[in-house]
Amino acid sequence: MNHFQPVALEHASRLVNHGPTVLVTSADGARRNVMAAAWSMPVEFTPPRIAVVIDKRTYTRELVAASGAFGICLPGTALVDLTYALGNTSGRTLDKFERHGIAASRGPVLGMPLLEAGCAAWLECRLICEPHTEDAYDTCFGEVVAAAADARIFAGGHWLFREDNADLQTIHHLGGGNFVRAGGTLRAEPL
């Protein structure tokens, strides 16, 4: 059963304003990738815009530049090991989706690969070209053109962190494979 429901764009910034670790997805033609990123944030309400740090040397950054788009997926605690693995391998040499058995759907506006299984939410973004910040700070800006969240954890524009949805609660990277979520810490194990 698919629990994801559209999120009103005026609430899209609430999906990332609490600082979760995110999975950045990218694609250009048949090439695709997914990577973990600990630094992302909303930067504007209307239209909704976000920023994410993507090192200019990464395969993800190459695909984002080529396509002008990216996805942001918010993994839940159930994906802590996968998130850690995705942040520690390069997509240049292997298809991470295939390697880790990741199912992705196509974004409704830009066709970016988006993850729902084990994730709390996703945002599909059009790259806003800002050469200075991209080059100097590895910061990419995107306008959110579509967003959806699992209604078991985000509904009516608000997060619902409860005991019964712990597997969907967002994770926050502390460094060295250590993550925290509301209610405790998590240690990622190599896959």
Side-chain angles (χ1 to χ4, degrees):
M1 174 179 213
N2 185 344
H3 296 280
F4 272 67
Q5 298 296 317
V7 171
L9 293 182
E10 66 263 19
H11 297 302
S13 66
R14 293 181 183 171
L15 295 174
V16 293
N17 72 350
H18 65 298
T21 297
V22 300
L23 298 176
V24 180
T25 61
S26 55
D28 181 47
R31 301 182 307 157
R32 64 184 181 169
N33 197 38
V34 56
M35 64 166 267
W39 296 350
S40 66
M41 66 178 186
V43 293
E44 188 71 48
F45 292 115
T46 307
R49 295 179 181 148
I50 63 168
V52 61
V53 175
I54 308 171
D55 188 292
K56 66 181 72 52
R57 297 167 295 183
T58 65
Y59 187 51
T60 295
R61 181 75 171 271
E62 178 182 320
L63 296 179
V64 169
S67 69
F70 59 93
I72 298 288
C73 304
L74 285 73
T77 60
L79 297 185
V80 68
D81 293 339
L82 177 63
T83 299
Y84 186 67
L86 294 174
N88 284 289
T89 56
S90 173
R92 280 190 203 284
T93 58
L94 60 95
D95 183 330
K96 293 186 206 180
F97 290 90
E98 187 177 304
R99 166 82 180 262
H100 296 288
I102 300 169
S105 59
R106 289 179 51 88
V109 177
L110 305 171
M112 287 295 103
L114 299 170
L115 287 57
E116 290 187 350
C119 287
W122 56 254
L123 301 95
E124 190 174 30
C125 304
R126 179 176 292 112
L127 180 66
I128 298 169
C129 188
E130 291 288 345
H132 173 71
T133 57
E134 291 169 20
D135 293 341
Y137 307 110
D138 289 329
T139 302
C140 296
F141 292 93
E143 179 178 343
V144 180
V145 297
D150 190 312
R152 295 173 293 176
I153 195 158
F154 188 90
H158 299 282
W159 285 103
L160 309 167
F161 291 105
R162 302 182 310 254
E163 196 171 306
D164 68 336
N165 62 18
D167 283 354
L168 290 172
Q169 292 177 18
T170 57
I171 57 178
H172 307 262
H173 191 242
L174 302 176
N178 294 297
F179 295 82
V180 66
R181 69 162 176 88
T185 58
L186 301 166
R187 171 82 180 144
E189 297 296 329
L191 291 178

